[in-house]
Structure formats: C-alpha cells, structure tokens
Amino acid sequence: MKKRVFSGMRPTGRLHLGNYLGALENWVLMQEEYDCIFGIVDYHALTSEYRNVESVHESVFQIAVDWLASGLDPEKSILMIQSMVPEHAELHLLLSMIVPTPWLERVPTYKEQMEQLRDKDLSTYGFLGYPLLQAADILIYKADLVPVGEDQVAHIELSREVARRFNNFYGTVFPEPEAKLTQSPRLPGTDGRKMSKSYGNEIQLSEDPKQIQKKIMTMITDPARKRRTDPGNPEVCPVFDYHKIFTESAGRDWVVQGCSTAGIGCSDCKEMLLKGMLPVIEPLHEKRMKLERSPSDVKEILVEGTGKASRIAKQTMQEVRQAMKLDYSAEGW
Ligand code: TRP
Ligand code: SF4
C-alpha cells in the first residue's frame, strides 16, 4: 500500500516562481511514490479574503492551470477543490467541538498573520479556526504525509493532537499525519525582499518569458556595487540567489570571480542567469498558454478529481458519524 499524501494551496492569486520551486516541483516528484491528493483550498482563502470572493474564484482556475503546467498529473494524483467537498466543513465543525480554543490561539501563525495583514480584519471565528480546518483537510483523507514548508509545521502538529484527542474520545478513526518538510531555496523578489504579492516584487509562473527577462534585467543587485568599476559581493546579491538555483557551478564560479573583481558587469551576470532560467520557464509558459485556451478541459480535470476525493471523504465521514453516535440513518436506529 502506498502512503497517502495530502497538501493544499490557497487560491489567493497566481503562483509565483517561489511556490513552484518550493512546493510544486516537490509535489510533482511525490506523485511517483505516493497516493497524492492536492487541494485548492478555497475555504482557507476565504479566512482572509472574505471580501474578495471574485478574486478567490478566479484564482482557483489560475492555480489549476499553474499546477497542470508544472506537471501535476490527473492520471497520477487527485486534484480537487476543497469547497466542492463540503465534508471538509462538516469534519471541521465536529472537530471544533473537541479542540480547546487555547490550542488555536497559541499557534504561532495566528498572531503573526494578524500582525502582518493589518489591513484586513482577521478577528473572525473562521480565521482562528484556520489550522483546524487544515487538520480536517488532512484527516478526512487519513493522510500519512503532508508536504509543507517550515511555517506550517505547527499546523501539522495541531492536526496530530486533534487526531489523538478524537481517537481517545470516540475510538480510533484517524492516523496521525506527519509533516514532510520541503526545503525551499531562498528566492527573493525583484527588490531583494521576500517574494510576496503584497510587495509587488513577484515573478509569476504565468508571466511571459519576455516580461520575466525584463524583471531580471532591472532586478536589484548588490547595493554597494553602484558603478561598473566597483567590485561586488555575490553573497549579498539577490541575483546570486537565483544563480544558485538556475546556474551550474562553472557558471557560478565565473560570476563570483567576475563580480568580486569588477571583471563583469551586472548585466553580463544577469544575461548569464537568463540562460539557465529561460529553459525552465519557457516550456512551462507554453503549456500554460495551451491550457488557458481550453478552460473546459481544466475544469473537467478538477471536477473529476473532486469526485474521487468526495468518495473518500464521504467514507471517512461515515466512520466519524458512527464513532460520534451521529449515524441516525443507519440500520438499527
Ligand atoms: N495552510 C496551508 C498554507 O498556507 C494551506 C493548506 C490548507 C494546507 N490545508 C492544507 C496544506 C492541508 C497542507 C495540508 O500553505
Ligand atoms: Fe549581483 Fe551579478 Fe551584479 Fe555581482 S555581478 S552584484 S552577483 S548582479
């Protein structure tokens, strides 16, 4: 039996290069080894984007396109939309009966996100329950492994604690899921800060390679290297973070040598980077355009995947209802 994997992404915009290198590339590989379910978690998007439902709706489609273009394969994995399987919400509700609120209040992302997204009112019931909804996503498929970044580890830990508490109270239904840490390479935005939509410094997967080229050519470099004749330090230059991902070692040596002696200029360096980057981006972009031209195919893939997910979720809910004595439709009531 293959191990079951579940992971999700929130549809709050198109995916950027960091999402691809950090998570997606890894998911694509996991498809070969595990029984994978990947969810576009639109309920989760609503916890912060409840005023922007239009944008959440549009992002669901765009993320599906990003996923397929990146190599998630509906023949190998289940690709689904969370809100189309309302059992996620039902399980979330039932788990909310047994989770002590301090467990949720002490999750580090709760206070952090509240601080960071000050322009949004996150003092909602749904936002507090975010990690519990995530636990429901994972537990409803009895996932063994959850590929996530470091920032999500506390959420997986909560899922384990909730599973344990449920099993103690009502009998064992859920396995305890484990986080499978994804190392994401450091990929700063074009201004050198963390790549993020709110900074407007993203490189999206859906961008035209020409556009990406332009962004790289105008990207911030070592701020101490003001003139062509000033030597630079690649270790403090965001462009060099990209070289670490896209350029092989001989090319990187050439950059280090040339930069630190002012032997090369920043545009030489960036052109070199593009030689490694464009062959990764161009095929992705082409696949993406093809998919965007046949939206009904993309939608069908999601509907079909969601149907498969729904069958598993319904089965688990039957067990949950039985365990919690909520099975009034059963024989013998
Ligand atoms: N919270 C996750 C994130 O922000 C998204 C997510 C929702 C998720 N449900 C999930 C990830 C279940 C893994 C498993 O990235
Ligand atoms: Fe950065 Fe390259 Fe310019 Fe050096 S040469 S400062 S590594 S862009």
Side-chain angles (χ1 to χ4, degrees), residues 16 20 22 50 101 133 158 163 203 224 273 278 284 307 316 321 323:
H16 57 63
Y20 172 71
Y50 54 88
T101 43
L133 180 58
L158 179 88
I203 296 180
L273 169 63
L278 291 175
L284 228 140
T316 305
R321 286 160 156 270

Side-chain angles (χ1 to χ4, degrees), residues 6 9 11 37-43 56-57 60-61 64 67 78-86 88 137 141 298-307 309-310:
F6 182 89
M9 281 190 198
I37 305 175
F38 298 118
I40 302 179
V41 290
D42 51 346
Y43 286 151
V56 172
H57 183 91
V60 167
F61 177 77
W67 280 9
I78 295 179
L79 309 180
M80 56 88 62
I81 301 177
Q82 182 190 35
S83 69
M84 284 180 82
V85 182
H88 287 240
D137 296 341
Y141 300 113
V298 175
K299 289 173 189 169
E300 202 180 298
I301 287 170
L302 288 179
V303 169
E304 204 169 295
T306 300
S310 179

Side-chain angles (χ1 to χ4, degrees), residues 61-317:
F61 177 77
Q62 292 302 339
I63 285 187
V65 174
D66 285 331
W67 280 9
L68 294 168
S70 304
L72 289 191
D73 181 348
E75 303 285 323
K76 295 180 185 152
S77 304
I78 295 179
L79 309 180
M80 56 88 62
I81 301 177
Q82 182 190 35
S83 69
M84 284 180 82
V85 182
E87 283 78 7
H88 287 240
E90 188 189 0
L91 182 57
H92 175 225
L93 177 93
L94 293 176
L95 296 178
S96 81
M97 305 304 166
I98 67 167
V99 69
T101 43
W103 287 17
L104 296 171
E105 284 157 353
R106 73 172 186 226
V107 172
T109 45
Y110 181 60
K111 285 199 186 94
E112 274 164 32
Q113 292 277 62
M114 284 274 225
E115 299 268 307
Q116 265 176 29
L117 306 175
R118 275 179 184 284
D119 51 323
K120 298 203 167 104
D121 182 2
L122 297 181
S123 54
T124 58
Y125 185 44
F127 188 71
L128 177 64
Y130 182 110
L132 190 65
L133 180 58
Q134 183 165 351
D137 296 341
I138 297 164
L139 298 179
I140 205 157
Y141 300 113
K142 302 188 178 181
D144 304 295
L145 293 175
V146 187
V148 284
E150 187 71 49
D151 62 317
Q152 296 289 310
V153 170
H155 294 182
I156 311 308
E157 190 49 44
L158 179 88
S159 307
R160 296 166 63 84
E161 282 166 355
V162 170
R164 219 173 294 148
R165 192 165 166 90
F166 184 100
N167 293 343
N168 274 335
F169 288 173
Y170 312 114
T172 301
V173 172
F174 299 117
E176 288 179 31
E178 242 175 83
K180 190 167 170 22
L181 266 192
T182 323
Q183 301 301 347
S184 31
R186 208 182 104 77
L187 192 83
T190 50
D191 59 358
R193 292 188 290 176
K194 182 178 156 48
M195 192 181 283
S196 152
K197 195 171 33 182
S198 46
Y199 295 150
N201 63 1
E202 288 189 324
I203 296 180
Q204 293 176 334
L205 286 182
S206 50
E207 280 177 66
D208 191 274
K210 284 253 150 24
Q211 180 79 22
I212 294 180
Q213 200 159 352
K214 214 159 102 193
K215 284 194 175 175
I216 295 294
M217 293 313 289
T218 54
M219 183 169 168
I220 273 188
T221 62
D222 173 0
R225 194 169 187 204
K226 291 199 180 65
R227 282 172 296 260
R228 168 68 178 79
T229 48
D230 296 334
N233 176 7
E235 284 310 325
V236 302
C237 176
V239 175
F240 197 62
D241 287 317
Y242 281 62
H243 275 297
K244 286 179 187 159
I245 297 163
F246 294 107
T247 307
E248 26 51 83
S249 73
R252 282 205 310 265
D253 291 346
W254 177 81
V255 168
V256 172
Q257 163 68 18
C259 176
S260 56
T261 57
I264 61 167
C266 290
S267 30
D268 304 319
C269 176
K270 289 171 168 180
E271 269 157 26
M272 164 70 151
L273 169 63
L274 286 165
K275 280 202 194 118
M277 240 178 125
L278 291 175
V280 177
I281 284 161
E282 272 162 356
L284 228 140
H285 185 71
E286 266 166 45
K287 255 177 106 177
R288 218 186 174 287
M289 289 205 301
K290 220 191 235 162
L291 289 159
E292 273 195 310
R293 280 196 294 272
S294 42
S296 55
D297 290 356
V298 175
K299 289 173 189 169
E300 202 180 298
I301 287 170
L302 288 179
V303 169
E304 204 169 295
T306 300
K308 290 183 200 160
S310 179
R311 284 191 283 284
I312 304 170
K314 284 201 163 82
Q315 170 62 40
T316 305
M317 281 318 293

